[in-house]
Amino acid sequence: MFRSVPVVDTFRDRLPATIHVLFGIGFIALFLLLPIALLVINSLNFGGELLENYRIALSDVYLRAIFNSLFIAAVTTPILLLLAFFVSYFIIFQTERTRLMLGLVLLPMWIAYIIRYLGIQLFLYPNGPVVSVFDTNFGLLFSTAGVVLGLVSGFLPFAVLPIYNSLSGVDRDLIDASSVMGATRLSTIRHVMVPLSIPGFVTAGLLVFILSAGAFLAPDILGGPSDLMIANMIERSYSEIFDINLAAALAVIYTGILLTLLVAFNSYLNIGEVLSDV
Amino acid sequence: MTRPTPRIGHATVVLATVVYGILLIPILMVIATSFTAQPFPTLPKTIDLQWYGELMSDGQIHGTLITSFIVALVSSIIAAAIGIVSAFGFVRYEFPYKQTISTAMLLPLIISPIITGVAILQFTSRVGINTGYPTLILGHSVLVFPYAFLIIRSALSSFDSTLEDASVVMGATPAASFVNVTLPMIAPAVFSAVLVSFLVSFGEFTATQFLVSADATTVPVIIYTMMRTGVTPTITALATVLVVIMTLVGVISEAVN
């Protein structure tokens, strides 16, 4: 009934543990970390003033784009956390169609960002449904608000997964106890559910902050000329003004900010959780 | 004890509608406008398939669909293969700095794809690898790796390794028991990892824009290029084709895992 596959003798002994792990680390090191390290060399100006590219990258439009990235991420993150908590609460406690409602939140993760941002454009276009009903798109297109709307729509599934996992792990008896003791629903949410879901909030917050700050398509498709973020500046330096060294300096600055955040929150970060339900 | 179903207030209904709208309306808009009879993408009054006819006769679009398919398939298989080997190491063995190294494995997911794209393009041009298929496949293998790694690691960590021991006790070599016991058990997860990686690769634009060449361009890149000259129903028809492919692959990956 069970036919075993013959295995060649040379594979007799299982590879030692280090080789398994080194295989993965080597792949990432060789094709991601090394290329990024090479950007550091690009970013330094060995002929003249060593940090010339960094001086440019930290001035004028480039500095503004760096601040803009952090600002937009700082606005988007709390909105995402709030909506993600609401959706998770709704799915766990307020609907009987749990699988369907969770599935509808996760479905957009499968669809390319460029298609979803195109859909937002079409929704808000002068000949789209919003303008034909309200006669205005409320300034949501080609503006900072448009970028935030795009990022919220784009990254909401990433915020929901960790918070949903945390919240659905909260012991139901604690929730019942709280309401038996006379707490209102809001007070139970505030004093029981939110505090017990903190790990989910931290993972979700860190992940969507990083993803938002590094966004390229949302500002490109939904933002105005003053909404450019650091990723757009890297692309422009590289593809439009062909200043690879400046692009490299901007990339190194962004990676520096990111690594600082990662190191600071490393013990909290459990991105595996984010995808455990996919 | 059965809990009474909580009453849902009007505010909850409104907010839930808004949230699900933010998530799903963009996708529905793309699909709906592809059936318009107008020369620009508006909500249609009647169903018109002329833009799909236009797609069918466009040789360049066929080429990009084939390129996207090949790149997604090859890079997701590479990522899954490396994912199996390394996830095995992470699940079965203890070693120093495990948590930190495990976060490093997820870097392609965390770091902005714009940086991954620029860094890989600079790297490949330094070592003399051509743009087009070689850079696309290399870049996409890196980009989708975290997804493959996470899905396979999660399957391996819930797999009962005593089954493998039992097989060895019964006289199988460790390698034979891996092939005959472990692999069949994690096969659905591996298949799911390939499909999810395929999806990520198929839709990736930001890093991909640096890696394409004139004769090897992917669908998201051609959609972006077409959008530059104005949004037409042909673009939304092409995007709808992508939505259908991606939803199908996504549903299959859910079903097998």
Side-chain angles (χ1 to χ4, degrees), chain A residues 2 5 11 14 17 20 42 87 93-94 96 101 115-116 119 127 153 176 210 214 220 238 254 266 275 278, chain B residues 3 5-6 8 12 19-20 22 26 30 40 85 93 103 110 112 115 121-122 126 150 164 175 180 224 254:
Chain A
F2 199 92
V5 180
F11 291 118
R14 191 187 286 169
H20 280 285
N42 270 111
V87 176
F93 298 105
Q94 298 198 299
E96 268 141 39
M101 295 322 265
I115 294 176
R116 290 148 72 193
N127 51 17
S153 174
D176 290 341
I210 289 170
D220 191 79
Y238 199 93
Y254 167 83
N266 186 46
L275 288 161
V278 170
Chain B
R3 285 181 192 77
T5 318
I8 301 180
T12 307
V19 173
Y20 281 93
I22 289 176
V30 168
F40 38 85
V85 177
Y93 309 106
T103 306
I110 306 168
S112 175
I115 291 173
L121 177 57
Q122 279 295 104
R126 253 176 218 259
L150 282 174
E164 234 174 66
N180 291 307
Y224 183 83
E254 277 289 283

Side-chain angles (χ1 to χ4, degrees), chain A residues 2-5 7 11-12 14-15 17 20-21 23-25 27-28 30-36 38-39 41-42 83 86-87 90-91 93-94 96 101-102 104-105 107-108 110-112 114-116 118-123 125 127 129 149 152-153 156-158 172-173 176 185 210-211 214 216-217 220-221 231 234-235 238-240 244 251 254-255 258-259 262 266 269 271-272 275 277-278, chain B residues 1 3 5-8 12 15-16 19-20 22-27 29-30 33 40-43 82 85-86 88-90 92-93 95 99-101 103-112 114-116 118-123 126 138 141-142 145 147 150 153 164 173-176 179-180 196 199 203 205-206 209-210 220 223-224 227-228 231 235-236 239 242-243 246-247 250-251 254 257:
Chain A
F2 199 92
R3 198 164 53 88
S4 76
V5 180
V7 173
F11 291 118
R12 249 189 131 71
R14 191 187 286 169
L15 296 169
H20 280 285
V21 179
F23 203 64
I25 296 171
F27 177 66
I28 292 296
L30 185 59
F31 297 121
L32 186 67
L33 301 182
L34 175 65
I36 290 175
L38 290 173
L39 284 185
I41 299 174
N42 270 111
L83 293 183
F86 167 77
V87 176
F90 174 76
I91 294 172
F93 298 105
Q94 298 198 299
E96 268 141 39
M101 295 322 265
L102 184 62
L104 287 178
V105 172
L107 173 89
W110 297 334
I111 313 292
I114 192 164
I115 294 176
R116 290 148 72 193
L118 168 63
I120 295 178
Q121 247 193 18
L122 294 170
F123 189 58
Y125 256 171
N127 51 17
L149 176 66
V152 166
S153 174
L156 189 57
F158 282 110
R172 293 276 182 129
D173 288 341
D176 290 341
R185 186 133 55 97
I210 289 170
L211 291 176
F216 169 80
L217 272 179
D220 191 79
I221 294 181
I234 294 173
E235 192 265 341
Y238 199 93
S239 307
E240 277 171 34
I244 291 153
Y254 167 83
T255 311
L258 176 98
L259 287 182
L262 275 184
N266 186 46
L269 192 70
I271 293 183
L275 288 161
D277 256 24
V278 170
Chain B
M1 186 181 110
R3 285 181 192 77
T5 318
R7 262 186 52 244
I8 301 180
T12 307
L15 192 53
V19 173
Y20 281 93
I22 289 176
L23 282 168
L24 300 171
I25 285 175
I27 301 165
M29 276 303 294
V30 168
T33 56
F40 38 85
T42 49
L43 290 177
I82 300 172
V85 177
S86 46
F88 219 83
F90 276 88
R92 295 292 170 80
Y93 309 106
F95 48 89
Q99 171 70 24
T100 309
I101 294 172
T103 306
M105 305 294 274
L106 307 179
L107 274 178
L109 175 76
I110 306 168
I111 222 156
S112 175
I114 203 101
I115 291 173
T116 311
V118 170
I120 288 180
L121 177 57
Q122 279 295 104
F123 174 75
R126 253 176 218 259
L138 175 63
S141 308
V142 173
F145 175 72
Y147 296 88
L150 282 174
R153 188 180 68 173
E164 234 174 66
T173 63
V179 173
N180 291 307
V196 169
L199 278 177
F205 167 77
T206 307
Q209 62 181 327
F210 296 101
I223 290 180
Y224 183 83
M227 277 170 74
R228 286 257 136 145
V231 179
I235 303 177
T236 58
L242 234 62
V243 169
M246 295 179 119
T247 309
V251 168
E254 277 289 283
N257 202 7

Side-chain angles (χ1 to χ4, degrees), chain A residues 145-201:
Chain A
V147 179
V148 173
L149 176 66
L151 293 174
V152 166
S153 174
F155 296 142
L156 189 57
F158 282 110
V160 169
L161 279 174
I163 293 178
Y164 177 86
N165 285 336
S166 268
L167 187 60
S168 58
V170 172
D171 190 342
R172 293 276 182 129
D173 288 341
L174 291 175
I175 295 163
D176 290 341
S178 165
S179 62
V180 167
M181 306 289 268
T184 61
R185 186 133 55 97
L186 273 181
S187 154
T188 305
I189 290 175
R190 214 179 119 199
H191 297 291
V192 180
M193 295 186 194
V194 172
L196 289 172
S197 308
I198 291 293
F201 276 99

Side-chain angles (χ1 to χ4, degrees), chain B residues 23-70:
Chain B
L23 282 168
L24 300 171
I25 285 175
I27 301 165
L28 297 176
M29 276 303 294
V30 168
I31 297 172
T33 56
S34 70
F35 297 110
T36 186
Q38 310 283 326
F40 38 85
T42 49
L43 290 177
K45 293 181 181 65
T46 54
I47 300 253
D48 192 312
L49 296 175
Q50 58 167 310
W51 306 108
Y52 288 90
E54 204 121 302
L55 272 190
M56 304 269 256
S57 58
D58 191 325
Q60 196 198 5
I61 287 175
H62 294 176
T64 59
L65 268 167
I66 292 167
T67 304
S68 278
F69 190 82
I70 293 172

